[in-house]
Amino acid sequence: MDDAALLTAELLTRRWLPRSHPRVKRALVDAELFAQVEQRLGQCGLRWMDSIYADHVSVALLPAAQNTVMGEAGLNGNNNLDLPRDAQALLIVLWALIVLPKRERQTSRVEEADAGQNDFFPGAKPLPQAASVSPLVSYKALLEDYGAQLGKKLRLDTNLKLLERHGFIVRRQDEIAEGPLLDVLLDYDVLAPRILDGALADVLARERVAQQSESNRPPVLASQAPAAINTEATAAQED
């Protein structure tokens, strides 16, 4: 059995593979092997899925096979994993909390340890791996901030287990981390504008206004503060 068949079989069996996997690494640089894998997957109605910003690769249905395999109901619901509505909402919230800041760090070539430091040549750095820049979400903070909207603790715990089973997240005690498929199967180019220009547009606009008003506020000189205090003290004595 050749490498193309083995890699195809592994992807179908495991659903995702790390980019560090020997056959995945070879397929990403060997055009002939990659074409063979795509051909094998295409014969099954599947396509190769990867992203330079993610640490894993996976497979998904070809558009031509979606109607037949999933049916109209699955496509219209934009959800072929039978996720309940609150689980879908939780998935989008976690995607926004994890992938958006991760992508910003990756495109600016900023590692977690380098955050807050300026670099004269950020473009010269290699693209950081997802694991090194992907933020962690606190379960307690998630429950406090979004628990009421996402079904409270019982539903939140149930849906987190569901998302973890599907490979979107990884639980690490009280922290939630990016799973193998979170930045592979969810389309950043579609979701990011809807969140940044839609759901979060008002929040970001208020944040920008607050920052501008803060930057335009005249500074208070240290020599002026005691004078104001002395003036108030004098006025109190006169009264």
Side-chain angles (χ1 to χ4, degrees), residues 13-191:
T13 303
R14 302 179 185 274
R15 294 176 53 210
W16 62 79
L17 290 172
R19 295 175 73 91
S20 58
H21 186 286
R23 275 185 283 273
V24 173
K25 288 175 66 175
R26 185 185 159 201
L28 292 173
V29 298
D30 187 333
E32 182 178 355
L33 175 60
F34 186 76
Q36 291 175 359
V37 173
E38 281 197 313
Q39 182 182 11
R40 303 285 177 88
L41 291 172
Q43 292 171 348
C44 303
L46 300 171
R47 58 187 171 125
W48 175 282
M49 295 291 293
D50 76 338
S51 168
I52 61 172
Y53 300 101
D55 289 343
H56 294 78
V57 302
S58 184
V59 293
L61 283 171
L62 284 169
Q66 287 179 355
N67 283 331
T68 303
V69 175
M70 302 308 305
E72 291 296 331
L75 290 178
N76 291 340
N78 61 65
N79 165 32
N80 55 29
L81 296 176
D82 293 327
L83 295 176
R85 290 173 63 91
D86 52 358
Q88 294 180 56
L90 176 60
L91 176 60
I92 298 303
V93 168
L94 291 172
W95 184 90
L97 293 174
I98 295 174
V99 173
L100 288 179
K102 184 197 78 167
R103 187 65 61 89
E104 183 178 358
R105 294 170 185 169
Q106 286 177 310
T107 53
S108 60
R109 304 299 199 271
V110 176
E111 301 257 357
E112 187 72 33
D114 299 333
Q117 298 182 11
N118 294 325
D119 197 313
F120 287 107
F121 305 103
K125 290 184 176 181
L127 188 72
Q129 290 186 338
S132 66
V133 293
S134 183
L136 300 175
V137 176
S138 167
Y139 168 77
K140 293 180 180 178
L142 182 70
L143 179 61
E144 182 178 350
D145 294 340
Y146 301 98
Q149 294 86 354
L150 297 176
K152 300 188 178 178
K153 189 177 188 304
L154 180 60
R155 289 297 302 170
L156 186 66
D157 291 344
T158 300
N159 289 327
L160 285 173
K161 291 179 182 178
L162 189 59
L163 296 182
E164 185 174 22
R165 189 186 316 138
H166 284 303
F168 290 114
I169 62 170
V170 175
R171 297 290 300 274
R172 298 172 182 169
Q173 295 181 348
D174 192 40
E175 294 178 328
I176 303 167
E178 176 185 354
L181 300 182
L182 188 64
D183 202 12
V184 176
L185 296 188
L186 277 72
D187 194 333
Y188 180 91
D189 293 335
V190 173
L191 277 179

